[in-house]
PDB file of all heavy atoms in Angstrom:
ATOM      1  N   ILE B1083     129.741  35.820  85.518  1.00  0.00           N
ATOM      2  CA  ILE B1083     128.584  34.982  85.983  1.00  0.00           C
ATOM      3  C   ILE B1083     127.915  34.394  84.739  1.00  0.00           C
ATOM      4  O   ILE B1083     127.643  33.127  84.680  1.00  0.00           O
ATOM      5  CB  ILE B1083     127.595  35.956  86.773  1.00  0.00           C
ATOM      6  CG1 ILE B1083     128.288  36.332  88.021  1.00  0.00           C
ATOM      7  CG2 ILE B1083     126.356  35.111  86.971  1.00  0.00           C
ATOM      8  CD1 ILE B1083     127.366  37.294  88.857  1.00  0.00           C
ATOM      9  N   SER B1084     127.699  35.155  83.681  1.00  0.00           N
ATOM     10  CA  SER B1084     126.992  34.624  82.537  1.00  0.00           C
ATOM     11  C   SER B1084     127.828  33.529  81.880  1.00  0.00           C
ATOM     12  O   SER B1084     127.219  32.593  81.501  1.00  0.00           O
ATOM     13  CB  SER B1084     126.721  35.739  81.595  1.00  0.00           C
ATOM     14  OG  SER B1084     125.888  36.652  82.061  1.00  0.00           O
ATOM     15  N   LEU B1085     129.075  33.694  81.753  1.00  0.00           N
ATOM     16  CA  LEU B1085     129.916  32.721  81.114  1.00  0.00           C
ATOM     17  C   LEU B1085     130.027  31.391  81.877  1.00  0.00           C
ATOM     18  O   LEU B1085     129.735  30.305  81.354  1.00  0.00           O
ATOM     19  CB  LEU B1085     131.336  33.194  80.825  1.00  0.00           C
ATOM     20  CG  LEU B1085     131.594  33.954  79.542  1.00  0.00           C
ATOM     21  CD1 LEU B1085     133.044  34.403  79.451  1.00  0.00           C
ATOM     22  CD2 LEU B1085     131.327  33.022  78.382  1.00  0.00           C
ATOM     23  N   VAL B1086     130.187  31.564  83.252  1.00  0.00           N
ATOM     24  CA  VAL B1086     130.236  30.350  84.068  1.00  0.00           C
ATOM     25  C   VAL B1086     128.910  29.563  83.956  1.00  0.00           C
ATOM     26  O   VAL B1086     128.909  28.371  83.675  1.00  0.00           O
ATOM     27  CB  VAL B1086     130.572  30.680  85.457  1.00  0.00           C
ATOM     28  CG1 VAL B1086     130.374  29.585  86.488  1.00  0.00           C
ATOM     29  CG2 VAL B1086     131.967  31.193  85.646  1.00  0.00           C
ATOM     30  N   ILE B1087     127.804  30.243  84.043  1.00  0.00           N
ATOM     31  CA  ILE B1087     126.583  29.527  84.037  1.00  0.00           C
ATOM     32  C   ILE B1087     126.324  29.063  82.698  1.00  0.00           C
ATOM     33  O   ILE B1087     125.811  27.831  82.609  1.00  0.00           O
ATOM     34  CB  ILE B1087     125.347  30.584  84.446  1.00  0.00           C
ATOM     35  CG1 ILE B1087     125.467  30.876  85.880  1.00  0.00           C
ATOM     36  CG2 ILE B1087     124.081  29.903  84.236  1.00  0.00           C
ATOM     37  CD1 ILE B1087     124.474  31.898  86.358  1.00  0.00           C
ATOM     38  N   ALA B1088     126.642  29.703  81.695  1.00  0.00           N
ATOM     39  CA  ALA B1088     126.422  29.294  80.240  1.00  0.00           C
ATOM     40  C   ALA B1088     127.247  27.845  80.015  1.00  0.00           C
ATOM     41  O   ALA B1088     126.781  26.995  79.441  1.00  0.00           O
ATOM     42  CB  ALA B1088     126.704  30.224  79.268  1.00  0.00           C
ATOM     43  N   VAL B1089     128.502  27.922  80.447  1.00  0.00           N
ATOM     44  CA  VAL B1089     129.315  26.756  80.293  1.00  0.00           C
ATOM     45  C   VAL B1089     128.727  25.599  81.024  1.00  0.00           C
ATOM     46  O   VAL B1089     128.621  24.353  80.535  1.00  0.00           O
ATOM     47  CB  VAL B1089     130.806  27.107  80.693  1.00  0.00           C
ATOM     48  CG1 VAL B1089     131.643  25.862  80.931  1.00  0.00           C
ATOM     49  CG2 VAL B1089     131.449  28.050  79.689  1.00  0.00           C
ATOM     50  N   LEU B1090     128.464  25.792  82.342  1.00  0.00           N
ATOM     51  CA  LEU B1090     127.882  24.725  83.098  1.00  0.00           C
ATOM     52  C   LEU B1090     126.510  24.135  82.489  1.00  0.00           C
ATOM     53  O   LEU B1090     126.310  22.932  82.431  1.00  0.00           O
ATOM     54  CB  LEU B1090     127.687  25.129  84.549  1.00  0.00           C
ATOM     55  CG  LEU B1090     128.968  25.465  85.336  1.00  0.00           C
ATOM     56  CD1 LEU B1090     128.587  25.944  86.764  1.00  0.00           C
ATOM     57  CD2 LEU B1090     129.842  24.116  85.451  1.00  0.00           C
ATOM     58  N   ALA B1091     125.661  25.058  82.141  1.00  0.00           N
ATOM     59  CA  ALA B1091     124.413  24.704  81.510  1.00  0.00           C
ATOM     60  C   ALA B1091     124.598  24.008  80.255  1.00  0.00           C
ATOM     61  O   ALA B1091     123.855  22.945  79.856  1.00  0.00           O
ATOM     62  CB  ALA B1091     123.560  25.986  81.269  1.00  0.00           C
ATOM     63  N   SER B1092     125.572  24.404  79.338  1.00  0.00           N
ATOM     64  CA  SER B1092     125.839  23.698  78.198  1.00  0.00           C
ATOM     65  C   SER B1092     126.429  22.356  78.377  1.00  0.00           C
ATOM     66  O   SER B1092     125.968  21.274  77.709  1.00  0.00           O
ATOM     67  CB  SER B1092     126.895  24.452  77.347  1.00  0.00           C
ATOM     68  OG  SER B1092     126.426  25.741  77.131  1.00  0.00           O
ATOM     69  N   LEU B1093     127.198  22.205  79.489  1.00  0.00           N
ATOM     70  CA  LEU B1093     127.714  20.860  79.784  1.00  0.00           C
ATOM     71  C   LEU B1093     126.498  19.900  80.158  1.00  0.00           C
ATOM     72  O   LEU B1093     126.498  18.798  79.772  1.00  0.00           O
ATOM     73  CB  LEU B1093     128.737  20.935  80.996  1.00  0.00           C
ATOM     74  CG  LEU B1093     130.084  21.323  80.579  1.00  0.00           C
ATOM     75  CD1 LEU B1093     130.983  21.535  81.907  1.00  0.00           C
ATOM     76  CD2 LEU B1093     130.736  20.384  79.609  1.00  0.00           C
ATOM     77  N   ALA B1094     125.586  20.493  80.884  1.00  0.00           N
ATOM     78  CA  ALA B1094     124.444  19.844  81.397  1.00  0.00           C
ATOM     79  C   ALA B1094     123.600  19.306  80.048  1.00  0.00           C
ATOM     80  O   ALA B1094     123.270  18.051  79.882  1.00  0.00           O
ATOM     81  CB  ALA B1094     123.496  20.547  82.182  1.00  0.00           C
ATOM     82  N   ALA B1095     123.391  20.250  79.168  1.00  0.00           N
ATOM     83  CA  ALA B1095     122.681  19.912  77.905  1.00  0.00           C
ATOM     84  C   ALA B1095     123.376  18.874  77.121  1.00  0.00           C
ATOM     85  O   ALA B1095     122.769  17.941  76.578  1.00  0.00           O
ATOM     86  CB  ALA B1095     122.474  21.231  77.119  1.00  0.00           C
ATOM     87  N   VAL B1096     124.717  19.049  77.039  1.00  0.00           N
ATOM     88  CA  VAL B1096     125.444  18.036  76.259  1.00  0.00           C
ATOM     89  C   VAL B1096     125.443  16.699  76.887  1.00  0.00           C
ATOM     90  O   VAL B1096     125.350  15.686  76.281  1.00  0.00           O
ATOM     91  CB  VAL B1096     126.935  18.466  76.057  1.00  0.00           C
ATOM     92  CG1 VAL B1096     127.816  17.384  75.611  1.00  0.00           C
ATOM     93  CG2 VAL B1096     126.936  19.643  75.049  1.00  0.00           C
ATOM     94  N   ALA B1097     125.541  16.643  78.148  1.00  0.00           N
ATOM     95  CA  ALA B1097     125.445  15.401  78.951  1.00  0.00           C
ATOM     96  C   ALA B1097     124.111  14.663  78.656  1.00  0.00           C
ATOM     97  O   ALA B1097     124.106  13.456  78.299  1.00  0.00           O
ATOM     98  CB  ALA B1097     125.621  15.648  80.513  1.00  0.00           C
ATOM     99  N   VAL B1098     123.002  15.394  78.813  1.00  0.00           N
ATOM    100  CA  VAL B1098     121.674  14.809  78.490  1.00  0.00           C
ATOM    101  C   VAL B1098     121.592  14.340  77.077  1.00  0.00           C
ATOM    102  O   VAL B1098     121.195  13.068  76.733  1.00  0.00           O
ATOM    103  CB  VAL B1098     120.556  15.843  78.776  1.00  0.00           C
ATOM    104  CG1 VAL B1098     119.189  15.072  78.464  1.00  0.00           C
ATOM    105  CG2 VAL B1098     120.573  16.245  80.191  1.00  0.00           C
ATOM    106  N   GLY B1099     122.028  15.128  76.169  1.00  0.00           N
ATOM    107  CA  GLY B1099     121.937  14.773  74.701  1.00  0.00           C
ATOM    108  C   GLY B1099     122.700  13.539  74.402  1.00  0.00           C
ATOM    109  O   GLY B1099     122.298  12.644  73.684  1.00  0.00           O
ATOM    110  N   ALA B1100     123.958  13.490  74.841  1.00  0.00           N
ATOM    111  CA  ALA B1100     124.962  12.400  74.556  1.00  0.00           C
ATOM    112  C   ALA B1100     124.314  11.179  75.133  1.00  0.00           C
ATOM    113  O   ALA B1100     124.296  10.075  74.591  1.00  0.00           O
ATOM    114  CB  ALA B1100     126.309  12.725  75.219  1.00  0.00           C
ATOM    115  N   LEU B1101     123.728  11.253  76.394  1.00  0.00           N
ATOM    116  CA  LEU B1101     123.196  10.089  77.132  1.00  0.00           C
ATOM    117  C   LEU B1101     122.060   9.533  76.321  1.00  0.00           C
ATOM    118  O   LEU B1101     122.051   8.228  76.025  1.00  0.00           O
ATOM    119  CB  LEU B1101     122.744  10.478  78.543  1.00  0.00           C
ATOM    120  CG  LEU B1101     122.218   9.271  79.393  1.00  0.00           C
ATOM    121  CD1 LEU B1101     123.468   8.450  79.689  1.00  0.00           C
ATOM    122  CD2 LEU B1101     121.613   9.780  80.625  1.00  0.00           C
ATOM    123  N   VAL B1102     121.181  10.366  75.950  1.00  0.00           N
ATOM    124  CA  VAL B1102     119.962   9.834  75.215  1.00  0.00           C
ATOM    125  C   VAL B1102     120.442   9.350  73.871  1.00  0.00           C
ATOM    126  O   VAL B1102     119.989   8.157  73.490  1.00  0.00           O
ATOM    127  CB  VAL B1102     118.926  10.997  74.923  1.00  0.00           C
ATOM    128  CG1 VAL B1102     117.782  10.598  74.073  1.00  0.00           C
ATOM    129  CG2 VAL B1102     118.307  11.537  76.253  1.00  0.00           C
ATOM    130  N   GLY B1103     121.282  10.024  73.210  1.00  0.00           N
ATOM    131  CA  GLY B1103     121.800   9.455  71.939  1.00  0.00           C
ATOM    132  C   GLY B1103     122.434   8.133  72.067  1.00  0.00           C
ATOM    133  O   GLY B1103     122.208   7.218  71.292  1.00  0.00           O
ATOM    134  N   VAL B1104     123.363   8.021  73.089  1.00  0.00           N
ATOM    135  CA  VAL B1104     124.093   6.804  73.174  1.00  0.00           C
ATOM    136  C   VAL B1104     123.084   5.592  73.488  1.00  0.00           C
ATOM    137  O   VAL B1104     123.233   4.573  73.045  1.00  0.00           O
ATOM    138  CB  VAL B1104     125.165   6.840  74.295  1.00  0.00           C
ATOM    139  CG1 VAL B1104     125.662   5.538  74.606  1.00  0.00           C
ATOM    140  CG2 VAL B1104     126.283   7.773  73.750  1.00  0.00           C
TER     141      VAL B1104
END
Side-chain angles (χ1 to χ4, degrees):
Chain B
I1083 292 174
S1084 293
L1085 271 179
V1086 168
I1087 291 181
V1089 165
L1090 292 177
S1092 302
L1093 283 176
V1096 164
V1098 177
L1101 184 70
V1102 173
V1104 166

